[in-house]
Amino acid sequence: MGMKLAIFSDIHYCSNADEGYFKGVQRKLVHYSLPVLNKLIDEINTGRFDVAVCLGDLIQDIDDYGKDLENLYRIIGILNNIKVPVYTIPGNHDMRSLTTDDIRQVFGYEKSSFSTDIAGYHFVFLSADGDNKVKNNSNKPLLTQRIEDNDLKWLEQDLAKNELPCLIFIHFGVAEDDMKDNFWFENNSEKALLYNRHDLKEILQIDKNILGVFCGHQHWTKYIKENGIDYYSIGSLVENVELDGTPDGVWFEVDLDEKSLNIIEHHIKLDK
């Protein structure tokens, strides 16, 4: 029993190439999102992979409903060029101006959070609540950073029934981290993490079948082991990590074999 996954995150496509600035730096190289993504798709389509997973933030929103919806449809159309089953969960930028119903319609999913069994493995895809703009202690919105209570109840029941090796996929970080040296979140680590992560971890920590939890959002690639669970954060395809105008192009090749996984970190390089 074995299979190979391709996992990537934070494409941040935007038809406006001037988006993606923070602290005066274009940290998200949105103009490279399509070239990097298309080159990654070529790699996935070599025949070596069984499943592909995108961990959210397909678009760099401009908080314009019509344009954000148009951009999201475009990226979903491109992802459909992948020749193996591809699963996508929304990120905060995908949901800033769109509703949960919009997201389900674009992605073609009946439910926001769901699971599926493939080749002897149990995959769980958790979506945050796009209609709930939770606020932090400073009364500022933590956009879409909460899993619905009904989805948590569903997850608890789903994992209780499952006996297969399991992988969890979610956009926001779950493992505790102070975000030291993180460009985006060092001064506000809560924005990097799921708002009700402690409720989620109470469910995850009693399950003995979880091989790993994969998240995006934080724009860096990092591994944390917490209470016996392996958490993997994967950076953005378009992150300007070295501030040299080159997209990071990071993605994971994950080999599953019985009850173990092996992760190889790759970086897409564009021809200059």
Side-chain angles (χ1 to χ4, degrees):
M1 180 175 65
M3 64 186 308
K4 188 185 290 287
L5 282 67
I7 304 177
F8 56 98
S9 190
D10 292 79
I11 303 166
H12 288 287
Y13 168 71
C14 185
S15 51
N16 180 359
D18 292 328
E19 291 290 330
Y21 280 85
F22 186 62
K23 300 178 183 178
V25 177
Q26 191 175 25
R27 188 73 178 196
K28 301 173 189 174
L29 301 174
V30 298
H31 51 292
Y32 283 127
S33 58
L34 294 187
V36 172
L37 179 59
N38 283 323
K39 195 164 184 179
L40 173 57
I41 290 174
D42 288 341
E43 185 69 29
I44 296 172
N45 286 343
T46 56
R48 297 190 298 119
F49 293 90
D50 301 292
V51 172
V53 178
C54 177
L55 296 173
D57 277 357
L58 284 70
I59 64 170
Q60 176 66 27
D61 74 278
I62 58 173
D63 205 11
D64 178 301
Y65 178 86
K67 182 58 68 173
D68 291 345
L69 188 61
E70 176 184 330
N71 287 340
L72 193 58
Y73 267 117
R74 182 173 188 191
I75 288 298
I76 287 294
I78 293 173
L79 290 177
N80 286 338
N81 292 323
I82 296 175
K83 296 178 181 178
V84 298
V86 55
Y87 296 91
T88 304
I89 52 178
N92 52 301
H93 286 278
D94 305 321
M95 296 187 283
R96 190 180 303 276
S97 66
L98 306 181
T99 68
T100 299
D101 286 341
D102 291 327
I103 294 295
R104 283 196 290 257
Q105 181 172 342
V106 175
F107 287 6
Y109 295 150
E110 181 179 346
K111 296 183 180 298
S112 299
S113 295
F114 61 95
S115 64
T116 187
D117 295 341
I118 303 177
Y121 294 91
H122 190 64
F123 293 167
V124 176
F125 302 92
L126 296 176
S127 175
D129 181 0
D131 300 328
N132 190 330
K133 309 302 190 246
V134 175
K135 294 185 178 181
N136 62 16
N137 292 335
S138 301
N139 205 38
K140 295 180 180 179
L142 295 172
L143 292 172
T144 69
Q145 283 186 237
R146 183 181 186 279
I147 296 179
E148 292 185 33
D149 292 341
N150 286 340
D151 282 347
L152 289 176
K153 291 178 182 178
W154 163 82
L155 175 65
E156 188 172 15
Q157 296 168 355
D158 179 81
L159 293 181
K161 292 184 295 184
N162 173 59
E163 297 181 353
L164 299 174
C166 177
L167 278 75
I168 309 288
F169 303 97
I170 185 171
H171 180 66
F172 292 98
V174 180
E176 302 305 312
D177 195 335
D178 62 8
M179 295 290 134
K180 181 176 171 52
D181 297 325
N182 183 288
F183 179 85
W184 295 95
F185 302 115
E186 182 172 34
N187 296 323
N188 192 347
S189 61
E190 279 299 308
K191 290 185 68 175
L193 304 171
L194 186 73
Y195 182 80
N196 58 341
R197 62 190 179 278
H198 301 294
D199 296 332
L200 172 61
K201 285 189 284 193
E202 284 184 6
I203 298 172
L204 299 182
Q205 288 166 7
I206 63 175
D207 191 276
K208 304 303 181 184
N209 296 310
I210 296 175
L211 297 181
V213 179
F214 292 85
C215 73
H217 182 63
Q218 299 174 353
H219 282 237
W220 65 359
T221 302
K222 191 172 185 178
Y223 165 75
I224 295 175
K225 193 176 190 71
E226 181 181 296
N227 293 324
I229 297 179
D230 296 315
Y231 294 90
Y232 303 92
S233 174
I234 185 169
S236 167
L237 282 178
V238 297
E239 184 77 1
N240 189 9
V241 174
E242 302 297 332
L243 301 181
D244 61 356
T246 301
D248 190 33
V250 64
W251 62 285
F252 285 169
E253 176 180 340
V254 180
D255 284 307
L256 298 176
D257 184 14
E258 294 293 338
K259 292 189 176 182
S260 66
L261 55 82
N262 179 55
I263 298 176
I264 302 173
E265 179 181 328
H266 295 288
H267 295 262
I268 294 293
K269 302 297 183 183
L270 295 178
D271 298 327
K272 296 291 187 178

